[in-house]
Amino acid sequence: MIIPGILFVLGLLCLIKGGDWFVDAATWIAEAFGIPKFIVGATVVSFATTFPELLVSIFAALDARAAEAL
């Protein structure tokens, strides 16, 4: 019971730190290319957050189980 709890906390910390790195990288991209941060937030960040759902839908469609992915 204690090991799953430790793994959960460790995974949560990694998720938080990974999100922090992602936002920092998106901000760096915006500054490096002179793009407004709003545009980067509306495109790069939104694409990256919906990418997992896109992959699941694509793999389900290729496996002929598209109805199960919904």
Side-chain angles (χ1 to χ4, degrees):
M1 181 78 167
I2 199 160
I3 292 177
I6 291 171
L7 291 175
F8 175 76
V9 171
L10 183 63
L12 189 60
L13 291 174
C14 288
L15 183 65
I16 291 169
K17 190 57 181 172
D20 189 37
W21 286 340
F22 180 75
V23 170
D24 289 343
T27 303
W28 178 83
I29 289 170
E31 291 173 355
F33 291 105
I35 303 170
K37 292 179 184 177
F38 174 76
I39 301 297
V40 172
T43 56
V44 175
V45 174
S46 66
F47 177 75
T49 56
T50 58
F51 192 64
E53 289 88 355
L54 177 67
L55 285 179
V56 168
S57 297
I58 290 171
F59 288 140
L62 291 175
D63 199 24
R65 293 188 294 175
E68 294 177 21
L70 300 175

